[in-house]
Structures are given as C-alpha cells and as structure tokens.
Amino acid sequence: MSSALQSKAPAANRGGHPAAPGPEATRRDPSTPPPRSGARRRARTGWLFASPALLVVTLVTVFPVAFSLALSFSDVRLEYGGMRLGSPTPAHYEALLGNPEWYHALAFTLGFTAVSVLLELVLGTLVALVLERLGAARGWLIAVLLLPWALINVVAAQLWSYLFNGTYGAVGWLCEQVFGTQPDILGRPVPAMAAMVAVDVWKTTPFVAIVVLAGLMLIPAEVYEAAEIDGAGTWTTFWRVTLPQLKPIVAIAVLFRILQAFGIFDLPFVLTQGGPGTATQSVAMLGYRILFQDLDFGGGAAVAVSTAAIVMACCLLFLRVFRAQADEEVQG
C-alpha cells in the first residue's frame, strides 16, 4: 500500500522538494476583487468626497475667469433687465493698448510692487534674524509684530490717512517740528507714492518676517556647527549657509507678496483716490473706474484679464529663474 501511495504522489515530492502549485491552487477566489478594481474604487470614492469642494472652486474661480474672458472679447450692451453679449471683438484690448492711463497705471503698479516687495523682504529678513536670537520674549514680540498684519487694509489705510493729513496729521506736524515746514504728503505725486509704499511696508513686513523666521527655525544646527568648524565668520555664514537654506521659503514669500501687491486697490483708493490726478492710480483702480463708474463691462473685463495675464507671466518668470538657480546649486 505504501508503494501505491508513493506512486500517486507527485514526482516533485519524491525528491523531498515541495510540489509546485497546480491550477486549482493558483486559481483566485472569484469573490475577492482584483487589485486594480480596488484602487479604482478608492479613486472613485476620493473623487466623490472631493466633488463638493471642486464644485465650489469651479463656481468661485473657474466660472468668473471664464466669464470675464468672454466679456473682454464681446460687444457688451446694457439693456432693460440685464446685459447682452454681442459678437466677438478685440476692440476692448485695442482700446486698452491705446489708452495712456493703462500704461501709467501699469508702470505705477509695477514700480510699487518691486519697491515694496524688496523693502519688505530685506526688513522682514532682518526682523526674523533678530527674533531667532531672542528667548522668552519672542512670543510677545511676535504677537505685537502681527498687529499691523492683522488690521484690515481699509482700516489701516484710513488710519494712515489721518496721520498724513496736511492740516492735523501727526506726520506733517513732526516734519514741521524737525524741518520747519509742513509738507503736503498726499497732495504731491512723489510723496504720495512714497507714503503708499511706507504704509504697505509697515503692514506687510510682519508677514515676511514670520515666514522667514519659520524657515530659520527649520535649518539644522549641525549646518552652523560645520560652518563654525570650517572657520566661517558671521557674514560668510549668512551668505553661504543661511541664505541658501532660506531660498525656498523666501521664494514662497516673494510669490505671495507679488500676487498681493500687484492687485493693490484699497490703499490708493482710501489714501489718495488715485491722485493727485492719476499719479497713484493702480491697475485695479483703473479697472474699477472703467467697470463701475463708466459702466464699460467689456473694457473692465479686458483690464482684469490683462492684469491676470501679466501677474501669471511675472510669477512664472520668477519661478523659472528660481528653479534655474536651484539647479545650478545642485549641479555645483
């Protein structure tokens, strides 16, 4: 009987090795779904849960952008009960490119953005370096530092309009006590631009300081110890160690500030109403005037679309330059 059992056993078992699984062993249970179907089911579940948020984003972001683009290329006519979109036309962009106010507003916005962001970056980095070296008082100073950033832009602009007032303003009185004359700060183009930059720097520098401080706290202490062992001084350590480590954080801060500064509206609207003349009229204010005061919906939409295109181009250029510098450092 033992020989009969051995003859029925698989040949692979006779040599002492385990038998290879047969077709019955490799056959999968039909009740268990394949791995790919499980992944697809999880993906469908994820899309199902994300669909409300995607719907909100579409309604709040995608639809206004698409509608503004359609308005900018349409002959918009106001009629009783609403407005009607006519045939497609590039007339609004042609009128915009031939408008000197557009170039003046664009120049002011670009200059304001460049100067304010540069000053905020330098001052914010200095403040962050000071805060990093503080001990128990750091939390209180951060809370005080965030007060300007927490103020609503309109409230901060109204506060500074009182300070810059030529009749009873504290800034004018201080200039009179120091220099013997009380200047008309908001009534002249260059002082008005400088005042607007000063207000924006005062309000937004805390944001840059907090972001840079977070980047400083993430730098490992071993990096500074290695630089100290190599004999690097304070200035060399900052330029060769601290600043390269902060580049990703600084890039994020600069990107956010460019997006915010280029769309400036509340500061010039409250402080100067775009004046004197149109000296401090930003691109956003020009679009507001064309859209809501002149009721030129197509022209206002053309201003908005062209502004968004310029901001996107500036951000992409900035990111490309930053990525090229990062690749050079990695290769070096």
Side-chain angles (χ1 to χ4, degrees):
M1 182 180 294
S2 61
S3 60
L5 292 175
Q6 291 178 359
S7 62
K8 293 180 180 180
N13 288 339
R14 297 175 183 177
H17 301 287
E24 293 78 4
T26 58
R27 187 176 301 168
R28 182 171 43 84
D29 188 2
S31 62
T32 59
R36 288 187 178 181
S37 63
R40 291 175 182 174
R41 186 169 61 253
R42 288 192 297 270
R44 287 195 298 267
T45 305
W47 281 108
L48 180 63
F49 281 109
S51 57
L54 294 176
L55 180 61
V56 171
V57 170
T58 302
L59 293 177
V60 175
T61 304
V62 178
F63 175 75
V65 171
F67 186 65
S68 299
L69 188 62
L71 284 178
S72 66
F73 282 102
S74 300
D75 183 15
V76 184
R77 297 179 182 178
L78 295 179
E79 297 179 352
Y80 180 76
M83 60 181 180
R84 185 171 64 87
L85 301 183
S87 58
T89 174
H92 299 300
Y93 290 97
E94 294 175 356
L96 188 66
L97 295 177
N99 189 358
E101 289 189 25
W102 159 252
Y103 295 101
H104 187 278
L106 182 61
F108 167 74
T109 307
L110 288 173
F112 171 83
T113 302
V115 175
S116 61
V117 171
L118 180 61
L119 291 176
E120 290 158 6
L121 181 61
V122 173
L123 294 177
T125 303
L126 294 176
V127 172
L129 290 173
V130 173
L131 290 176
E132 185 197 15
R133 301 180 183 276
L134 295 180
R138 181 191 299 169
W140 292 98
L141 287 177
I142 291 177
V144 174
L145 189 67
L146 286 176
L147 287 178
W149 173 252
L151 283 177
I152 302 174
N153 291 341
V154 176
V155 175
Q158 190 65 49
L159 172 64
W160 280 96
S161 68
Y162 294 144
L163 296 176
F164 286 134
N165 189 277
T167 304
Y168 52 82
V171 176
W173 176 84
L174 183 62
C175 292
E176 185 178 7
Q177 298 299 318
V178 175
F179 303 106
T181 180
Q182 190 172 7
D184 186 10
I185 298 176
L186 299 180
R188 297 165 58 189
V190 176
M193 295 178 189
M196 203 167 300
V197 171
V199 174
D200 190 73
V201 169
W202 169 80
K203 190 180 187 310
T204 319
T205 297
F207 166 76
V208 180
I210 296 302
V211 173
V212 176
L213 178 62
L216 289 172
M217 302 297 291
L218 293 176
I219 300 178
E222 293 80 4
V223 178
Y224 292 107
E225 294 175 358
E228 186 178 357
I229 293 174
D230 293 339
T234 304
W235 191 251
T236 305
T237 302
F238 174 76
W239 282 103
R240 298 295 181 87
V241 177
T242 305
L243 198 57
Q245 296 286 333
L246 287 177
K247 277 189 176 181
I249 299 295
V250 170
I252 294 175
V254 170
L255 194 61
F256 272 98
R257 284 301 304 132
I258 289 176
L259 293 174
Q260 292 177 343
F262 205 90
I264 180 175
F265 174 81
D266 35 26
L267 283 183
F269 186 81
V270 175
L271 284 176
T272 63
Q273 290 290 319
T278 58
T280 58
Q281 180 177 247
S282 64
V283 173
M285 283 196 66
L286 178 63
Y288 168 81
R289 183 179 63 79
I290 294 176
L291 182 60
F292 293 102
Q293 294 182 359
D294 300 341
L295 295 180
D296 185 1
F297 291 91
V303 173
V305 171
S306 59
T307 303
I310 293 174
V311 172
M312 186 179 298
C314 291
C315 293
L316 291 176
L317 179 62
F318 173 77
L319 291 176
R320 185 173 182 179
V321 172
F322 174 77
R323 183 178 299 176
Q325 291 180 355
D327 292 341
E328 289 179 0
E329 291 179 359
V330 171
Q331 294 176 1

